[in-house]
C-alpha cells in the first residue's frame, strides 16, 4: 500500500503514511501535546548519533561490574576474617585490619565507577530522548528536560525515568508495513528497571544492617547481605549494558528507515553502518540521519 500523502513510498503507519511523511514535528515548548505530522524529511537534521556515548557507557558499565566483583571478593574476605577472629584471638587482628582496609578501598572504587557511569549514562539518555522526539513526539510522556530531571526527584525517581525510557523505546521501534512496531517488546527494559530499583533498595538495607552491627554475628550477617547486594548490582549492570546497546541499535534502524523509506532494514543491523557519515542525506538537503 502506498503512502496516502505522497503516493510514492510504502505506508508504514496506521494512518496510511510512509515513515518520511509521518515524521513528527517536535512537541511544543510548553505542555505535553503530541507532535503533528511534518513534511518529508522534517527533523532529520536534528538527529544526533548516540553510538559514541553508547560505547563509552558500555565501557564504564564494564568497570562497574569489575568494581562489584572486587567488592564481593573483599566482602567475603572480611567475612572470613571476622569469623576467624571470633573469640578475641588478638593474633588475628592484623589480618582483620587488612581485610577492612580492602573493604573500604573496594567501596571507594565502586563509588567512583558509579558516579562516572551515571554522568555518561545521563548524557546518553538525554541524547536518545532527543532523537525520540524526532521519531515520535506523541509517544513521549514527558517533556525532553525530564530525561535528566526525573532521576533527581525523590521517590518519584523510582518510576518516572522508566516511563521516559518506555516512550523512547516505543518511538525507536521500527514499524512494519502495516504500521505495527516489530521487536517492540520492553521485557528487557522492564527486567533491568525492576532489578535496578530492587537492588538499590536492598543495598541500602544491607548497608544499614552492616553499619549498625555490633556483635560478631551481626557483622557477619551484614556482610552476607552486602555480598547479595553486590551480586544484584552486577546483574543490574549487565542488564543496563544490554539496554544501552539495544536501544542504540534500535535508533540506528529507525534513523535508517527515515532516511531511506523504501529500504528494508535488517533485524540486527551493524551499528557502525547504521550511523555512517557516508549515508546519503534526504532529498531536501538536510544533514544525514544521526549526524555526529
Amino acid at each position: 500500500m502506498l503512502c496516502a500523502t505522497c503516493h510514492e513510498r510504502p505506508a508504514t503507519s496506521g494512518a496510511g503514511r510512509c515513515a518520511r511523511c509521518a515524521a513528527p514535528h517536535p512537541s511544543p515548548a510548553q505542555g505535553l501535546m503530541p507532535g503533528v505530522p511534518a513534511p518529508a524529511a522534517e527533523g532529520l537534521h536534528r538527529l544526533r548519533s548516540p553510538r559514541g556515548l553508547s560505547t563509552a557507557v558500555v565501557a564504564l558499565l564494564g568497570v562497574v561490574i569489575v568494581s562489584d566483583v572486587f567488592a564481593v571478593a573483599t566482602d567475603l574476605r572480611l567475612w572470613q576474617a571476622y569469623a576467624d577472629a571470633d573469640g578475641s584471638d588478638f593474633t588475628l587482628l592484623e589480618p582483620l585490619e587488612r581485610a577492612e582496609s580492602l573493604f573500604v578501598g573496594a567501596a571507594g572504587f565502586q563509588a567512583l565507577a558509579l558516579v562516572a557511569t551515571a554522568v555518561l549514562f545521563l548524557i546518553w539518555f538525554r541524547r536518545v530522548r532527543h532523537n525520540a522526539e524526532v521519531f515520535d513526539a506523541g509517544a513521549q510522556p514527558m517533556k525532553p528536560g525530564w530525561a535528566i530531571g526525573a532521576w533527581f526527584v525523590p521517590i518519584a525517581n523510582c518510576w518516572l525515568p522508566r516511563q521516559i525510557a518506555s516512550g523512547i523505546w516505543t518511538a525507536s521501534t521500527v514499524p512494519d508495513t502495516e504500521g505495527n512496531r516489530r521487536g517492540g517488546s520492553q521485557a528487557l527494559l522492564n527486567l533491568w528497571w525492576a532489578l535496578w530499583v530492587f537492588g538499590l533498595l536492598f543495598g541500602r538495607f544491607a548497608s544499614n544492617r552492616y553499619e549498625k552491627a555490633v556483635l560478631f554475628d551481626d557483622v557477619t550477617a551484614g556482610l552476607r547481605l552486602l555480598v547479595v547486594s553486590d551480586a544484584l548490582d552486577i546483574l543490574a549492570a549487565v542488564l543496563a549494558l544490554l539496554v544501552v546497546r539495544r536501544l542504540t541499535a534500535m535508533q540506528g534502524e529507525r534513523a535508517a528507515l527515515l532516511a531511506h523509506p523504501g529500504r528494508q532494514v535488517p533485524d540486527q543491523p551493524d551499528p557502525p553502518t547504521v550511523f555512517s557519515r557516508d549515508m546519503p542525506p534526504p532529498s531536501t538537503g538536510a544533514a544525514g540521519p544521526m549526524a555526529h
Side-chain angles (χ1 to χ4, degrees), residues 74-90:
T74 59
D75 293 343
L76 293 174
R77 177 169 179 174
L78 184 58
W79 179 14
Q80 186 61 50
Y82 268 106
D84 293 341
D86 193 7
S88 301
D89 185 348
F90 291 101

Side-chain angles (χ1 to χ4, degrees), residues 3 72 181 212 248 254:
C3 174
V72 169
R181 298 184 186 274
K212 291 184 177 181
T248 299
R254 197 75 168 90

Side-chain angles (χ1 to χ4, degrees), residues 32-49:
L32 302 177
M33 296 173 57
V36 297
E42 178 74 18
L44 282 180
H45 65 284
R46 298 178 58 235
L47 294 175
R48 297 293 182 268
S49 172

Side-chain angles (χ1 to χ4, degrees), residues 118-204:
V119 170
L120 267 184
F121 179 88
L122 289 178
I123 297 173
W124 170 83
F125 193 70
R126 183 177 182 276
R127 175 70 58 85
V128 293
R129 172 60 182 86
H130 171 88
N131 291 338
E133 189 79 5
V134 178
F135 295 146
D136 189 350
Q140 308 312 309
M142 305 181 74
K143 291 186 288 188
W146 283 101
I148 300 294
W151 296 89
F152 299 96
V153 180
I155 301 177
N157 56 10
C158 289
W159 68 84
L160 287 182
R162 162 65 184 80
Q163 292 183 351
I164 296 172
S166 179
I168 297 171
W169 194 286
T170 299
S172 303
T173 302
V174 176
D176 58 23
T177 55
E178 300 299 325
N180 301 314
R181 298 184 186 274
R182 59 181 175 84
S185 173
Q186 298 186 6
L188 175 61
L189 178 65
N190 293 333
L191 181 59
W192 163 63
W193 188 256
L195 186 59
W196 183 76
V197 172
F198 177 75
L200 186 65
L201 297 176
F202 186 87
R204 291 182 179 179

Side-chain angles (χ1 to χ4, degrees), residues 48-55 58 124 128 131 135 168-169 171-174 182-183 188 240-257 263 265-275 279 290:
R48 297 293 182 268
S49 172
R51 185 159 51 92
L53 287 171
S54 169
T55 300
V58 167
W124 170 83
V128 293
N131 291 338
F135 295 146
I168 297 171
W169 194 286
S172 303
T173 302
V174 176
R182 59 181 175 84
L188 175 61
L241 187 152
L242 295 176
V243 167
V244 170
R245 286 176 56 87
R246 179 62 190 134
L247 193 50
T248 299
M250 288 169 63
Q251 292 212 335
E253 296 178 32
R254 197 75 168 90
L257 180 63
R263 189 181 75 177
V265 180
D267 291 336
Q268 296 181 338
D270 180 19
T273 61
V274 168
F275 296 122
M279 185 179 291
M290 299 296 186

Side-chain angles (χ1 to χ4, degrees), residues 1-12 15-23 38-41 261-262 283:
M1 186 176 80
L2 293 178
C3 174
T5 300
C6 66
H7 303 290
E8 295 179 357
R9 292 175 290 274
T12 59
R17 294 188 179 91
C18 67
R20 182 168 293 182
C21 292
S283 58

